[in-house]
Amino acid sequence: MQKYKIAVIGGDGIGPEVIAEGVKVLNKVAQLDGSFEFEFTEFPWGCEYYLERGEMMPKDGIETLSKFDAIFLGAVGAPGVPDHVSLWDLLLRIRKSFDQYVNLRPVKLLKGAPCPLKDTKEEDIDMVFVRENSEGEYAGSGSWLFKNKPNEVVIQDGVFSRVGCERIIRYAYELAKKENKTLTSISKGNALNYSMVFWDQIFSEVGKEYPEVKTSSYLVDAASMFMVKDPKRFEIVVTSNLFGDILTDLGAAITGGMGLAAGANINPERKFPSMFEPIHGSAPDIAGQGKANPLATVWSASQLLDFFGHEDWGKVLIDCIEEVLCEKKVLTADLGGNCSTSQVGDEIVRKIEVKRI
Ligand code: NAD
Ligand code: IPM
Ligand code: MN
């Protein structure tokens, strides 16, 4: 029997609440399939751990995680710990240490999901964002000079390496080619006269290897406008770390909200474990109340199944999410329902049993 070793980091706020449902769902899939199983190992890392021990994860945390096939993460961040400390020492540390340079974020309007845009149908919003996830604006490079002095200066560098840009752009071209979709690059070469001019240059250079892929390039300001006014322009989208972060929250807003948006942090070479997570944060405003929507986490569980070659099961999970959304009987408050996180998870499990492949 194939065994997948999964490190589970529930993290903070609603993270552990939604991740418990994801684990429940994955266990049900494995049980019904019978040819593989999951061995989940939970790590209590996060802000509480930090407040007790002064670190977000142990010194050898990365080494510990490197022995796993994948990481399943809830969310990180709590009011008592500065966000740049909690995120840099856990989530971003994992993404960077394991060179998870592809952040794959579907922005797809599922059947039954609420859409705030007028006259917009499911087929009008069906994108996959390929967000650069290792450098760019989030390289963590900069300096803080003359701290607390009148001449204080803060510099935050954007780091765009040739290798870093080429590999993410090539990944996006490959995906567009494989899926026979268009590819859109989103940048900002008019104002960011080094980094984004370079990005655009590499987008066109790599594109020469893919004459069959139809491409477009948008400036990020116009792209955000078109995502709202005419989302069907976009299929596969490749963009930088910061722009991808912001635009995928916008993507969530037009496809049912943060409770429905999933993401996978992929190391395509599979040299290191990849990490699957909902893209939302720890939502301190609703934490501990059983109100969090676990469907984003279920979607990221579907991405995990795809990653291990179980696309048929990945699709079953998406079908189950769509059924729950269409029936509108078992939903959390963000989607207009009055059910709890675990009731929604249980409903997905019931539906998997019916649908089984
Ligand atoms: P957030 O995503 O946590 O919350 C934004 C809004 O969306 C809140 O109103 C919240 O209640 C709602 N929401 C989010 N997920 C939901 C869900 N599953 N079900 C229902 N409603 C949901 O973003 P924020 O408030 O900007 O950040 C809170 C904390 O999370 C901060 O510490 C931030 O740094 C951190 N953060 C972590 C991650 C991550 O771990 N991947 C991502 C984003 C933010
Ligand atoms: C996300 C989050 C993270 C990011 C933060 C919490 C560092 O916003 O995964 O979208 O910007 O990548
Ligand atoms: Mn984000």
Side-chain angles (χ1 to χ4, degrees), residues 112-143:
C115 178
L117 307 180
K118 203 165 61 138
D119 302 329
T120 304
K121 300 178 288 302
E122 283 114 45
E123 57 272 26
D124 296 337
I125 310 185
D126 189 0
M127 328 174 189
V128 174
F129 266 74
V130 179
R131 170 191 177 193
E132 205 293 319
N133 210 29
S134 66
E135 51 168 37
E137 309 87 341
Y138 294 1
S141 159
S143 30

Side-chain angles (χ1 to χ4, degrees), residues 1 4 8 13 21 65 80-81 90-91 118 122-123 163 177 197 200 224 230 263 274 340:
M1 167 116 64
Y4 301 116
V8 178
E21 303 312 310
L65 293 176
V81 181
L90 187 54
L91 178 78
K118 203 165 61 138
E122 283 114 45
E123 57 272 26
V163 167
K177 182 175 158 185
V197 171
D200 290 344
S224 52
D230 189 20
S274 291
S340 69

Side-chain angles (χ1 to χ4, degrees), residues 84-102:
H84 67 278
V85 172
S86 57
L87 272 311
W88 269 98
D89 289 357
L90 187 54
L91 178 78
L92 295 177
R93 195 164 147 212
I94 296 171
R95 287 184 186 164
K96 283 167 200 288
S97 303
F98 292 146
D99 207 15
Q100 296 166 345
Y101 62 87
V102 177

